[in-house]
Amino acid sequence: MGSIHGYWYPVDRQVPETFFLRGASCWGWATWSRAWQLFEGDGRQLLAELERQGLTHRFDLDGAMAYTRMLKDQIAGKNNSWAIRWHAAMFLAGRLQLSPGTSLVRNTGF
């Protein structure tokens, strides 16, 4: 396991009380130093490995999310997201995130 999360996206279908997903998110979460040791800050290396292993579609939750595009945008300097690199590193390491079926945190802004 790589992280635990208190946030889950609002969805219009029933999901389990808790569940695991491969990778990691960045809202209302915690991790361990053992997982941080797996973090790779070089987006190019992460993308190359996702492509080498043929995992981009799976990384994108079977096309439901544009994570590969976000990683490419980070590489191109269009965003400065550490979170996409965190997600990719955990995904490639086979780490799971424990998520709640209903969000336990709320973003109220700054």
Side-chain angles (χ1 to χ4, degrees):
M1 183 149 62
S3 54
I4 57 174
H5 297 263
Y7 177 79
W8 186 246
Y9 306 97
V11 294
D12 59 358
R13 65 179 65 144
Q14 187 130 15
V15 295
E17 183 178 359
T18 59
F19 58 94
F20 292 99
L21 283 177
R22 185 173 171 179
S25 292
C26 65
W27 273 27
W29 63 284
T31 191
W32 298 267
S33 62
R34 68 176 187 261
W36 270 122
Q37 292 173 9
L38 301 172
F39 178 72
E40 171 56 62
D42 186 338
R44 282 183 176 83
Q45 281 187 273
L46 293 164
L47 179 60
E49 189 60 22
L50 287 165
E51 290 174 341
R52 187 188 73 75
Q53 292 187 37
L55 292 173
T56 56
H57 187 71
R58 188 166 174 204
F59 180 63
D60 290 346
L61 296 178
D62 296 332
M65 300 295 287
Y67 292 134
T68 301
R69 167 62 31 216
M70 185 183 289
L71 183 58
K72 288 178 179 179
D73 285 350
Q74 185 277 320
I75 293 164
K78 295 180 181 178
N79 70 50
N80 190 22
S81 176
W82 66 268
I84 191 60
R85 292 174 282 163
W86 171 241
H87 174 49
M90 292 300 97
F91 186 90
L92 285 166
R95 294 299 192 261
L96 302 175
Q97 69 176 37
L98 174 62
S99 297
T102 303
S103 189
L104 304 172
V105 298
R106 190 174 86 179
N107 183 347
T108 59
F110 297 106

